Amino acid sequence: MITLPWYPRQLNPNVSSHYHEKARHKAIYKEACYWITKESKTKSKDYTELHIRFFKPNRRWMDLDNMLASIKSGLDGMCLALEIDDRCFTKIVLEIDKNIGGMIQIELK
């Protein structure tokens, strides 16, 4: 299991910001997720399932598909660290946990 930090607000598709600012935040989040995955010592193998559990930072209502879109650069960093292509995932399970935590847990199967 890999625990990623909550994504920056600027990565949400509903947030209007300059594309330079958005690109900078994407690069920072991708690199952070890359190093977190490297430190987790998760072995690279043929994964086909991705289970993503969101622990929101607060109790505000959030749209699940926007949360997935917001972590795209983080998933790219994770896959880069594992040396796999994200096209290999044939099943993705998304879940919002009731607990507050401001993190994202990813389980690869």
Side-chain angles (χ1 to χ4, degrees):
M1 184 168 304
I2 301 168
T3 302
L4 301 178
W6 194 256
Y7 55 87
R9 178 183 172 277
Q10 292 82 359
L11 297 186
N12 189 309
N14 291 337
V15 172
S16 177
S17 62
H18 195 273
Y19 66 93
H20 282 247
E21 181 183 1
K22 188 169 264 195
R24 184 173 61 85
H25 284 285
K26 281 183 181 181
I28 292 169
Y29 191 62
K30 180 178 179 177
E31 185 172 351
C33 293
Y34 173 86
W35 288 111
I36 289 169
T37 303
K38 280 286 193 189
E39 291 174 0
S40 73
K41 308 251 191 282
T42 302
K43 300 279 191 223
S44 179
K45 63 179 192 176
D46 296 331
Y47 296 112
T48 59
E49 292 186 27
L50 188 62
H51 187 108
I52 304 172
R53 181 176 291 127
F54 294 95
F55 292 85
K56 299 187 307 183
N58 52 41
R59 297 229 180 261
R60 293 178 62 199
W61 182 84
M62 293 184 184
D63 202 5
L64 190 58
D65 61 331
N66 286 340
M67 287 191 281
L68 177 60
S70 300
I71 66 167
K72 175 68 173 111
S73 58
L75 292 177
D76 289 342
M78 180 193 74
C79 289
L80 187 64
L82 294 173
E83 299 174 356
I84 60 175
D85 192 349
D86 58 359
R87 291 183 296 173
C88 70
F89 300 120
T90 57
K91 182 178 180 182
I92 299 176
V93 178
L94 302 173
E95 179 182 348
I96 299 176
D97 200 280
K98 293 179 183 177
N99 298 315
I100 300 298
M103 64 182 170
I104 301 153
Q105 287 183 343
I106 297 178
E107 187 177 349
L108 299 158
K109 297 180 182 179

